[in-house]
Amino acid sequence: MGKAKTEAAIKRQRILITGKVQGVGCRPFVYRLATTLGLTGRVWNDTAGVTIEVQGPAEDIGSFVECLRTGCGPVKKPAMLKIATCRSIGIDSVSGEREFAIGASDAEGPAVSQVTPDAATCGDCLREMNERSDFRYRYPFINCTNCGPRYSIVKTIPYDRCNTTMADFEMCAACRGQYTETGDRRFHAQPVACPACGPAVQLTDNTGRTLESDSSRAIAQTAEMLRQGRIVAIKGVGGFHLAVDAFNDDAVKRLRERKQRDYKPFAMMAASVDIIRRYVHVDETAEVLLKGPQSPIVLLDRAGEKGDWPALAPAVAQGMATLGFMLCYAPLHYLLFAADGIEVLVMTSANISDEPLICDNDQALARLGSVADAFLNHNRDIYRQVDDSVVHIVDGRAAMLRRSRGYVPTPILMNEPCSADVFAAGADLKNTFCFVKGTQLILSEHIGDLADALVYRHYTDSVKHLQGLFEVAPAVVACDLHPGYLSTQYARLLGAERVIAVQHHWAHIASVLAEYDYPDRVIGIVADGTGFGTDEAIWGCECLIASLAGFERIGHLMYYPLPGGDKAAKEPIRPVLGLLKMLAGDNSYLRQYADILSRLEPDATRLALIGEQLDKNINTVSTSSLGRLFDAAACLAGLGNYNHFEAQLPMALESVADESVEDRYSSVIEADSNGTLLLDVRKMLVELIEDVRMGASAALVSAKFHNCLVYAMLDFALGARQKYQLSTVALSGGVFCNRYLANRLITMLKENEFSVLFKQRVPANDGGIALGQAAIAAKAVQSGRV
Ligand SMILES: [Zn+2]
Ligand SMILES: [Zn+2]
């Protein structure tokens, strides 16, 4: 074209792109795109995202913007680059420059998330790692702008090498060449490294004595130990795993003993989907999830008939109909799984009981020395511990159960910005917390159960660290309505200008609205364990009309008395007695159901004690908890009388349900004198007990129980639609982690022409509470109420 371009036709435009745009190869992509189109200008990272100035004919600038927006064009978009918004932020005067340049980071101005999640090893890096002639052949820390550690190694922003745990490693000439070459896949890949200049692997015994410091031999020796049934602690991306051969039942049992984790199923790792497919059903959705850069643990149904499951060690997940699998996601994993005889490994988070994940080398030796026989360790520090994320598939789509590695800190975006920064403290169980900054809801990784002192300290440290990392200064704080929650007490101590206490189940529904950025009122159906209600009762199965601005409780499971406070979640005999007392109306239940009760609790003295507690109303609450109703039903169905881990009995009940049964127990919904819809479960209990007395199978009892609840919740929705002319239903609460219930209810709601909002990106359990609290507080700020 040359001289055909007249001065007048040349324009210069400034463009801001936001989203997942930093540390993902965005600037080299923009550079290649601009130079291919013959445009000049520059691109740089700033605190809002990536800013571009392009100069050239208006038509070519148009093509450039189009390519950015659509991702289609002459230059391939990097896999991890996700552009959320792309807008023109002004037209500048034309400059005399002759080329397009990549600028350094600009850390001025208000900080917005510059930090992207950790990503699983990409195909290009894997190929290079297996290429004998490559200078990173078999290097366990190979990475590029499309993959590798991010969030777990960042200390502070801007995201540059000096602010990561890679700062101690001086790049060699070869690595630096790639790091500074604009056209290279490793241009500005902060963790870039090679055997000559980067971190190294080491195998030690459980006292820290080096067994092998050559990486290939250390990996080979680790494989040999695993084949012999030994337990090896392996340092990964976000923390240590405890690894053991998944076919060796004795070894898995030994791990359970040493880890003090008697019952919870263990997650497993394999190197290919084909191997995973031998043990579980992997459909297309599951395969995409397994292979994604987030590389979560995916819970999948076992292949084969019940009782005839392929030969994994039974102790991996005793009796469970689902198994949790993930693919290798770090180069070190691939190298280990390439060894002979390493096909499926248990890879469980290295912690003791419910304590935080261990990520520090010294701490690992000190705390895991009695658990692991050896340590496959390395010297790239993990700055933020991030657990493996866990997802399952509901209604044919991914639904998050634990949101951590690979997903955090990707923000959930709101349409409207919030003028004040917000901190939301979350719930006490499965805690996560959340910040609001501008249009971003930044949800933390899974923290854990705050009742554990070490978890609580990890929580307060993490709040402070992320507040610094994202440069948030919360003027408004949101927390749970429960005055006894540790998170509530912490929130109140922060000295914010304004504290907003949010009812637990409203927060559950708000988290759905936030995830979908849904602006209106919905019918909210909550299926949950327990949450503090506005009437000081303990709520759990609620029908709300809710928006981010407020809620009304239009229906709930009828209250029943629940004796025993915290013990009630462990000992299902407590809800059983409470429900039977409600059913009988007086103390005659002890006589009337003596046959059932003596079977569930042979200790007559204990029964009498809890009965007396109920009778005298000592430490007994009124509750509409659905979680405890599940505990009671599972116990009555003969599936056990203790929850060794949270929701063990409800999971067992779901696991046995006979999918072919359409029959159900009666559900009765009636309005009380205030017009509140009450789900009366007395008839259901009578029928269930009748079945149990007749010797019905747990599979049948479970199916009829589940189906009854599906219809009850459908009735809530139908009643709400009639009264409020709303037809969108949002579902949330921990009990919706039950796929049988969720799948059937979603199907029924859709058949009845409701549109259904079901949690996908954020857990339906209490791991989503902080997001709901944050969205409610942001709404209060946006509408000027705070
Ligand atoms: Zn890569
Ligand atoms: Zn190097």
Side-chain angles (χ1 to χ4, degrees):
M1 304 252 300
K3 284 171 189 162
K5 285 183 189 173
T6 63
E7 278 298 309
I10 301 291
K11 299 266 187 264
R12 188 177 184 87
Q13 192 171 339
R14 184 180 282 224
I15 299 156
L16 172 66
I17 57 177
T18 65
K20 197 192 285 182
V21 294
Q22 296 190 356
V24 292
C26 181
R27 286 175 295 166
F29 163 67
V30 168
Y31 168 87
R32 286 197 285 272
L33 186 59
T35 47
T36 306
L37 292 169
L39 298 167
T40 63
R42 60 191 193 110
V43 57
W44 69 97
N45 280 344
D46 59 30
T47 46
V50 168
T51 303
I52 306 161
E53 284 176 10
V54 273
Q55 181 171 313
E59 194 184 319
D60 294 343
I61 293 179
S63 318
F64 175 82
V65 172
E66 185 65 16
C67 292
L68 283 182
R69 288 217 167 105
T70 61
C72 305
V75 179
K76 192 168 161 256
K77 189 170 81 74
M80 283 175 66
L81 171 63
K82 298 273 182 302
I83 297 176
T85 66
C86 169
R87 58 198 171 88
S88 168
I89 52 168
I91 293 162
D92 289 346
S93 54
V94 175
S95 126
E97 77 216 345
R98 284 158 184 265
E99 50 190 27
F100 195 91
I102 296 184
S105 299
D106 165 18
E108 297 293 308
V112 176
S113 171
Q114 294 188 23
V115 185
T116 51
D118 304 299
T121 310
C122 74
D124 290 336
C125 284
L126 268 185
R127 263 188 298 280
E128 286 175 354
M129 188 178 78
N130 292 318
E131 179 62 56
R132 217 167 261 278
S133 60
D134 195 280
F135 73 106
R136 294 192 186 88
Y137 176 60
R138 292 185 62 81
Y139 182 55
F141 303 93
I142 189 168
N143 67 80
C144 72
T145 46
N146 298 324
C147 74
R150 296 284 185 284
Y151 181 66
S152 59
I153 59 167
V154 176
K155 296 178 176 177
T156 181
I157 54 166
Y159 176 64
D160 283 325
R161 188 173 176 110
C162 60
N163 291 329
T164 72
T165 61
M166 285 298 293
D168 297 342
F169 298 95
E170 181 78 30
M171 267 183 251
C172 69
C175 286
R176 180 162 297 281
Q178 295 180 328
Y179 179 85
T180 48
E181 169 58 49
T182 45
D184 197 276
R185 199 172 91 248
R186 295 196 169 84
F187 176 72
H188 278 211
Q190 305 305 345
V192 69
C194 77
C197 68
V201 158
Q202 189 187 40
L203 181 70
T204 75
D205 67 9
N206 57 6
T207 66
R209 192 173 56 92
T210 303
L211 299 175
E212 184 56 70
S213 53
D214 169 81
S215 97
S216 285
R217 285 199 298 270
I219 290 165
Q221 204 173 325
T222 302
E224 178 56 23
M225 294 181 86
L226 290 167
R227 284 193 292 267
Q228 289 168 0
R230 314 284 287 278
I231 299 166
V232 183
I234 299 176
K235 188 174 180 180
V237 173
F240 280 83
H241 283 117
L242 289 162
V244 73
D245 181 0
F247 299 98
N248 186 332
D249 206 41
D250 288 339
V252 178
K253 281 183 185 149
R254 195 156 54 242
L255 173 58
R256 285 202 179 277
E257 272 161 34
R258 293 191 194 167
K259 206 186 169 205
Q260 299 165 34
R261 177 174 178 161
D262 285 331
Y263 298 90
K264 260 189 194 174
F266 283 140
M268 288 168 286
M269 181 179 275
S272 79
V273 170
D274 286 341
I275 291 174
I276 293 176
R277 203 169 257 132
R278 292 177 198 162
Y279 309 100
V280 287
H281 292 290
V282 182
D283 65 9
E284 206 179 318
T285 310
E287 184 162 353
V288 169
L289 277 168
L290 285 164
K291 288 179 170 172
Q294 298 85 2
S295 191
I297 296 167
V298 186
L299 300 189
L300 296 162
D301 290 329
R302 292 209 199 218
E305 291 298 308
K306 260 181 201 175
D308 185 26
W309 287 325
L312 286 165
V316 168
Q318 199 80 49
M320 299 293 292
T322 57
L323 295 173
F325 269 104
M326 61 187 147
L327 283 175
C328 296
Y329 58 81
L332 181 58
H333 299 150
Y334 281 103
L335 293 169
L336 178 61
F337 276 78
D340 284 341
I342 303 296
E343 189 178 282
V344 180
L345 293 178
V346 162
M347 288 286 264
T348 184
S349 303
N351 54 359
I352 304 291
S353 207
D354 292 324
E355 292 177 3
L357 178 64
I358 292 169
C359 65
D360 175 82
N361 292 2
D362 293 338
Q363 200 192 20
L365 275 173
R367 309 232 6 115
L368 299 172
S370 56
V371 181
D373 299 309
F375 289 75
L376 186 59
N377 212 333
H378 63 72
N379 57 344
R380 185 179 72 199
D381 286 345
I382 296 168
Y383 196 75
R384 284 228 46 88
Q385 60 221 75
V386 262
D387 286 273
D388 295 318
S389 294
V390 185
V391 299
H392 64 168
I393 296 166
V394 173
D395 192 30
R397 292 177 298 174
M400 194 68 68
L401 290 167
R402 181 170 74 196
R403 187 177 182 271
S404 281
R405 180 185 47 76
Y407 298 94
V408 174
T410 304
I412 310 279
L413 298 175
M414 299 183 288
N415 203 20
E416 294 283 317
C418 181
S419 60
D421 289 358
V422 175
F423 166 69
D428 274 16
L429 291 176
K430 294 187 166 56
N431 177 275
T432 61
F433 57 88
C434 188
F435 291 111
V436 180
K437 191 165 182 69
T439 57
Q440 304 186 89
L441 296 154
I442 307 164
L443 188 63
S444 79
E445 67 274 25
H446 168 81
I447 300 290
D449 296 351
L450 302 187
D452 182 288
L454 289 175
V455 175
Y456 184 76
R457 200 171 68 198
H458 175 50
Y459 170 69
T460 57
D461 289 350
S462 299
V463 171
K464 284 184 203 123
H465 171 63
L466 294 194
Q467 191 173 331
L469 185 61
F470 300 126
E471 296 186 345
V472 194
V476 177
V477 164
C479 62
D480 197 273
L481 188 62
H482 199 315
Y485 264 11
L486 293 165
S487 53
T488 302
Q489 289 162 7
Y490 175 75
R492 292 196 181 277
L493 287 174
L494 291 176
E497 291 163 33
R498 179 71 199 269
V499 179
I500 302 175
V502 180
Q503 201 281 322
H504 191 84
H505 301 106
W506 181 28
H508 265 308
I509 296 302
S511 70
V512 187
L513 302 179
E515 183 179 322
Y516 286 87
D517 201 15
Y518 191 86
D520 299 321
R521 290 195 307 170
V522 291
I523 301 165
I525 295 181
V526 187
D528 199 26
T530 53
F532 193 75
T534 52
D535 59 357
E536 303 198 352
I538 302 301
W539 297 5
C541 178
E542 317 299 316
C543 181
L544 313 177
I545 299 297
S547 69
L548 292 178
F551 79 100
E552 186 188 343
R553 186 196 197 202
I554 65 157
H556 61 89
L557 179 73
M558 68 193 298
Y559 285 146
Y560 57 93
L562 184 62
D566 289 345
K567 280 188 192 155
K570 298 260 188 219
E571 303 172 1
I573 191 68
R574 293 171 182 275
V576 166
L577 288 171
L579 286 159
L580 293 181
K581 176 157 190 190
M582 173 189 70
L583 185 55
D586 57 30
N587 280 342
S588 66
Y589 69 97
L590 288 169
R591 192 168 19 83
Q592 243 179 301
Y593 302 104
D595 57 326
I596 304 258
L597 292 174
S598 62
R599 209 171 55 215
L600 303 184
E601 176 54 75
D603 183 347
T605 324
R606 237 175 74 79
L607 267 185
L609 258 171
I610 304 173
E612 197 180 319
Q613 195 181 354
L614 260 173
D615 201 33
K616 296 187 174 156
N617 211 23
I618 303 165
N619 196 16
T620 295
V621 293
S622 271
T623 190
S624 53
S625 169
L626 190 61
R628 295 302 85 76
L629 181 65
F630 264 88
D631 287 342
C635 180
L636 287 166
L639 294 172
N641 56 8
Y642 197 80
N643 275 316
H644 293 93
F645 59 90
E646 198 206 352
Q648 182 185 9
L649 289 171
M651 281 161 74
L653 191 67
E654 180 193 352
S655 218
V656 299
D658 182 344
E659 303 245 359
S660 66
V661 172
E662 293 297 329
D663 200 5
R664 62 192 158 99
Y665 298 126
S666 309
S667 57
V668 181
I669 291 190
E670 273 166 3
D672 70 3
S673 53
N674 304 319
T676 303
L677 299 172
L678 289 183
L679 166 58
D680 185 339
V681 293
R682 286 177 293 189
K683 201 155 179 224
M684 174 235 270
L685 286 168
V686 169
E687 292 168 1
L688 190 155
I689 288 166
E690 178 68 18
D691 268 356
V692 170
R693 279 179 170 152
M694 302 280 285
S697 70
L700 179 70
V701 171
S702 171
K704 287 167 80 175
F705 173 78
H706 277 92
N707 295 343
C708 161
L709 290 171
V710 169
Y711 276 85
M713 289 178 187
L714 174 66
D715 282 346
F716 271 145
L718 291 169
R721 178 161 68 187
Q722 197 175 21
K723 197 165 167 191
Y724 295 87
Q725 281 77 52
L726 295 171
S727 60
T728 300
V729 181
L731 305 178
S732 193
V735 177
F736 280 125
C737 295
N738 179 319
R739 283 186 309 147
Y740 185 105
L741 182 73
N743 278 327
R744 291 210 169 193
L745 178 59
I746 292 169
T747 305
M748 292 288 284
L749 287 167
K750 285 180 177 170
E751 278 171 16
N752 283 275
E753 286 166 12
F754 286 99
S755 47
V756 183
L757 306 180
F758 188 80
K759 301 283 280 291
Q760 290 184 266
R761 297 170 64 198
V762 174
N765 59 43
D766 282 5
I769 286 289
L771 180 73
Q773 293 170 347
I776 286 168
K779 184 74 188 173
V781 173
Q782 286 160 346
S783 58
R785 282 181 286 118
V786 168

